[in-house]
Amino acid sequence: MNLQQLRFVQEAVRRGLNLSEVAKALHTSQPGVSKAILELEHELGVDIFSRHGKRLRSITPAGEQLLKSVEVVLREVGNIKNIAAEHVRQGTGTFSIATTHTQARYVLPAPISRLRQDFPQLSISLHQGTPDQVAQMLLEDVAEIGIATESLTKYPDLVTLPCYDWQHMLIMPKNHPLAARKKPSLQEVAQQPLITYHPTFTGRTHIDQAFAAAQLKPHVVLEAIDSDVIKTYVRSGLGLGIIAEMAAASDFPDGLVAIPAGHLFGTNTTRIALKRGVYLRNFVYAFAQYLSSKLTQSAIDKAMRA
Amino acid sequence: MNLQQLRFVQEAVRRGLNLSEVAKALHTSQPGVSKAILELEHELGVDIFSRHGKRLRSITPAGEQLLKSVEVVLREVGNIKNIAAEHVRQGTGTFSIATTHTQARYVLPAPISRLRQDFPQLSISLHQGTPDQVAQMLLEDVAEIGIATESLTKYPDLVTLPCYDWQHMLIMPKNHPLAARKKPSLQEVAQQPLITYHPTFTGRTHIDQAFAAAQLKPHVVLEAIDSDVIKTYVRSGLGLGIIAEMAAASDFPDGLVAIPAGHLFGTNTTRIALKRGVYLRNFVYAFAQYLSSKLTQSAIDKAMRA
DNA sequence: TATCCTTACGGAATTCGTAAGCATG
DNA sequence: CATGCTTACGAATTCCGTAAGGATA
């Protein structure tokens, strides 16, 4: 048995039992993957995958059970590398952060520049995606920490901790009929053409829930991942924008008005997510604490153990 | 990085940093061990052991930290093998039990013969030693289950569950002055020359504690591991014997009298011990339940998770 | 001097790539 | 017939043994 065989098995499951994909992902030849898995199965005396002709059809019950241990082994091998890397020189290496556009654009600049100050040797890699992609990147060890408002709590292998709370803002041109109102009602908002986030992003679920609860069917004329895109279309008069407070806070473009909308859509909580069982290098703890002073090392360790 | 390197590191720590011993234990050459560890250190970029000239002197802080992950990896690799072995054919393989003489001689015969009936294909290997050796055998994966009355709860990496309770018995020749008494006092016992177990065995600590609490200093003329040895010397008139109830229960030799001594030395609890985190094959659960009907699979799994 | 780790080196075994074969959809 | 797994085979690498070297207690 060797670690390579275990890697192939894990990747085969992740890639839907397609060994050619596995070979591509792990930068090796497809026959090598096939052979390694066959040899492992032979050594263990158990089929891990059931085959139909020459294709992998499904994972066997034995394979299912084995996979759990395989993942622990590979996770812990990753930890060994991280622990060693940390001892080579504190604060050296690459730190991968997975997050959504809103966080990357409006929230992370400050903590990241602080991280760069405190760990000048550190390379930082920012991965952007949907909240579910963020979760996936954590699960596949592409990223070490994830930051998002949606979805993250759905995954049992992820540990999440609340980071900060925020509300939505309504944005509109200065001459918009609602611009004078302090607290527009949900009905008033629902009558406007709306521009906001894609359904899986940045608190959009809360927006939908609020309208649904009031039995309103608003017309969302444009959905975007990107707060800047929303602002642009709002400025061009396409409709009323609903964006996250973080995106409306600073450097707010001229000609637009922002009105807090917490009374309409409630409060959202952005969370950090970590993969259960992974060893966190010191700068991960540091970064978390820059994000929120409540995210101390002891708070994180406690959540990881629970 | 490969598994062999990790094995060498683990074994090096276990064998007191003596690589020659490691090579012997793992049936390979000493230079191979040395080289493998050096290569691992080089790959990780961290010294695992600090060297003094050409000898290993101590484990580095990094090594200390790495070792934890190394042990998880190797434990889980063992689990992979066990899981596979179990799927090859239920109830095949070798089951290693570590225990003390008293258990092996008086308690285990019944459960073991039942195990042999239910799993005829199973090879059973019985390892005998002191309670601390039993613990050590579990920690080093020499044995899968341990059964003993003493010591086992001292080890944080072992999970123990109570198996059955018992008391000590006084044994003596029929014509002994105490033979007529139903409940001899601690004072009366303390005046006799005593024959009982070695200090680390089979409830001996309770005996010592009872005398110490009463500020009595009994004269133990002979200590043995073995209840049969104690009986032999008692029969020859060397003194009053104190043995475990299990050893006095059946096939009790002629010419000797046994008196319960629970009122003097209290109750002892024999426990089973398992190494935290190891995968237990179905016959391990079966065996535990033969030992005590309370040791169900769910009870054991619950204790292992806690 | 006895023990013990490291280095050197050569043969054996393993790994891993390309090319070819064959089954599925 | 395009995709995808397995088999065959050869080159490169790694592994692992013995022998020798050097350091410690």
Side-chain angles (χ1 to χ4, degrees):
Chain A
M1 189 188 318
N2 62 50
L3 294 172
Q4 193 73 327
Q5 294 169 327
L6 303 186
R7 275 185 211 109
F8 290 162
V9 168
Q10 181 183 53
E11 201 64 25
V13 174
R14 288 183 175 175
R15 308 260 163 194
L17 311 189
N18 183 327
L19 300 194
S20 309
E21 287 293 311
V22 172
K24 226 176 290 173
L26 300 183
H27 308 106
T28 182
S29 71
Q30 181 272 316
V33 173
S34 174
K35 191 151 175 267
I37 292 178
L38 286 168
E39 276 170 357
L40 178 62
E41 291 181 317
H42 190 255
E43 177 184 342
L44 295 178
V46 178
D47 279 1
I48 297 173
F49 301 107
S50 68
R51 292 164 173 79
H52 189 247
K54 288 205 172 183
R55 323 219 150 184
L56 304 199
R57 165 135 307 191
S58 62
I59 186 166
T60 63
E64 197 87 59
Q65 228 175 325
L66 287 168
L67 186 64
K68 290 182 200 146
S69 292
V70 168
E71 299 208 305
V72 173
V73 168
L74 295 176
R75 187 191 73 203
E76 219 60 37
V77 166
N79 285 352
I80 287 175
K81 289 178 186 162
N82 274 346
I83 291 168
E86 172 136 296
H87 279 270
V88 172
R89 184 116 65 92
Q90 295 273 330
T92 301
T94 299
F95 177 32
S96 284
I97 304 168
T99 190
T100 56
H101 175 268
T102 305
Q103 312 300 325
R105 170 82 172 74
Y106 297 103
V107 181
L108 300 190
I112 283 183
S113 75
R114 185 155 168 212
L115 193 68
R116 280 209 47 78
Q117 277 186 359
D118 291 357
F119 300 92
Q121 300 298 321
L122 188 63
S123 305
I124 300 167
S125 164
L126 207 55
H127 298 254
Q128 224 169 284
T130 68
D132 283 301
Q133 284 171 338
V134 167
Q136 215 52 47
M137 286 189 266
L138 290 171
L139 292 173
E140 295 185 1
D141 301 314
V142 174
E144 238 166 317
I145 194 171
I147 304 135
T149 303
E150 302 267 357
S151 292
L152 296 181
T153 52
K154 290 188 312 195
Y155 298 85
D157 281 353
L158 297 185
V159 177
T160 73
L161 293 110
C163 189
Y164 63 91
D165 294 330
W166 54 273
Q167 57 178 323
H168 284 98
M169 305 285 273
L170 301 174
I171 62 171
M172 63 210 83
K174 272 186 183 152
N175 58 356
H176 192 278
L178 289 183
R181 306 284 322 269
K182 274 272 158 62
K183 285 201 168 188
S185 71
L186 212 51
Q187 283 75 9
E188 287 174 294
V189 171
Q191 283 161 12
Q192 302 289 325
L194 297 181
I195 307 176
T196 189
Y197 300 108
H198 273 175
T200 59
F201 274 83
T202 320
R204 167 71 188 266
T205 48
H206 277 195
I207 296 174
D208 290 349
Q209 281 164 12
F211 284 121
Q215 307 212 307
L216 294 170
K217 300 217 167 165
H219 180 34
V220 177
V221 294
L222 187 69
E223 291 175 338
I225 293 171
D226 187 326
S227 310
D228 295 314
V229 171
I230 297 175
K231 287 182 207 168
T232 304
Y233 285 93
V234 168
R235 195 170 319 123
S236 76
L238 201 70
L240 182 66
I242 308 175
I243 62 174
E245 161 181 15
M246 301 82 79
S250 61
D251 74 322
F252 201 66
D254 297 332
L256 288 185
V257 175
I259 301 172
H263 64 293
L264 300 177
F265 307 122
T267 302
N268 293 277
T269 302
T270 293
R271 309 179 75 89
I272 66 162
L274 304 158
K275 188 174 172 187
R276 201 177 292 282
V278 304
Y279 173 82
L280 301 175
R281 288 173 286 177
N282 59 344
F283 48 71
V284 181
Y285 291 111
F287 179 68
Q289 194 149 20
Y290 302 156
L291 279 169
S292 161
S293 54
K294 286 180 191 163
L295 296 173
T296 60
Q297 174 153 1
S298 63
I300 292 170
D301 286 343
K302 196 177 157 195
M304 291 283 272
R305 278 194 299 274
Chain B
M1 188 188 319
N2 61 50
L3 293 172
Q4 192 75 328
Q5 294 169 327
L6 304 186
R7 276 186 209 107
F8 290 162
V9 168
Q10 181 183 53
E11 201 65 25
V13 174
R14 288 183 176 175
R15 306 260 163 197
L17 311 189
N18 183 327
L19 299 194
S20 310
E21 287 292 311
V22 172
K24 227 177 288 172
L26 300 183
H27 308 105
T28 182
S29 70
Q30 182 271 315
V33 173
S34 174
K35 192 150 175 271
I37 292 178
L38 286 167
E39 275 170 358
L40 178 62
E41 291 181 317
H42 191 256
E43 178 184 342
L44 295 178
V46 177
D47 280 0
I48 298 173
F49 301 108
S50 66
R51 291 162 173 80
H52 189 249
K54 288 205 171 183
R55 331 219 140 180
L56 304 199
R57 167 135 303 191
S58 62
I59 184 166
T60 63
E64 197 88 59
Q65 229 176 324
L66 287 167
L67 185 64
K68 289 181 201 147
S69 291
V70 169
E71 299 206 305
V72 173
V73 168
L74 295 175
R75 187 192 71 202
E76 219 59 38
V77 166
N79 285 353
I80 287 175
K81 288 179 187 161
N82 274 346
I83 291 168
E86 173 135 300
H87 278 271
V88 172
R89 183 116 64 91
Q90 295 272 330
T92 301
T94 300
F95 177 33
S96 285
I97 305 168
T99 190
T100 56
H101 175 269
T102 306
Q103 312 299 328
R105 169 82 171 74
Y106 297 105
V107 181
L108 300 191
I112 283 184
S113 75
R114 186 154 166 215
L115 192 67
R116 280 209 48 77
Q117 278 185 357
D118 291 357
F119 300 91
Q121 300 298 320
L122 187 63
S123 305
I124 299 166
S125 165
L126 207 56
H127 298 254
Q128 223 168 285
T130 67
D132 283 300
Q133 285 170 337
V134 167
Q136 215 54 46
M137 285 188 267
L138 291 171
L139 292 174
E140 296 184 2
D141 302 313
V142 174
E144 238 167 315
I145 192 170
I147 305 133
T149 303
E150 302 267 358
S151 293
L152 296 182
T153 52
K154 291 189 311 194
Y155 298 85
D157 281 353
L158 297 185
V159 176
T160 73
L161 294 109
C163 188
Y164 63 90
D165 294 329
W166 54 273
Q167 59 179 322
H168 285 99
M169 304 285 274
L170 301 172
I171 61 169
M172 62 210 84
K174 273 186 181 150
N175 57 356
H176 190 279
L178 288 182
R181 305 287 318 270
K182 275 270 158 62
K183 285 202 168 188
S185 71
L186 211 52
Q187 282 76 8
E188 287 174 294
V189 171
Q191 283 161 13
Q192 302 289 326
L194 298 181
I195 307 176
T196 188
Y197 300 108
H198 273 175
T200 60
F201 273 84
T202 321
R204 169 70 188 267
T205 49
H206 277 195
I207 297 175
D208 291 347
Q209 281 164 12
F211 284 122
Q215 307 210 308
L216 293 170
K217 300 217 168 167
H219 180 36
V220 177
V221 295
L222 187 70
E223 291 175 337
I225 294 171
D226 186 327
S227 310
D228 295 313
V229 171
I230 297 174
K231 288 182 206 168
T232 305
Y233 285 93
V234 168
R235 196 171 318 121
S236 75
L238 201 68
L240 182 66
I242 308 176
I243 62 174
E245 157 180 21
M246 300 82 79
S250 60
D251 74 324
F252 200 65
D254 297 334
L256 288 185
V257 176
I259 301 173
H263 64 294
L264 300 177
F265 308 121
T267 302
N268 294 278
T269 303
T270 293
R271 309 178 77 88
I272 65 163
L274 305 159
K275 187 173 172 188
R276 200 177 293 282
V278 303
Y279 174 82
L280 301 174
R281 289 173 286 178
N282 60 344
F283 48 71
V284 181
Y285 291 111
F287 179 67
Q289 193 149 22
Y290 302 157
L291 279 170
S292 162
S293 54
K294 286 179 191 165
L295 296 173
T296 60
Q297 174 152 0
S298 64
I300 292 171
D301 286 342
K302 196 176 156 195
M304 291 282 271
R305 276 194 302 273

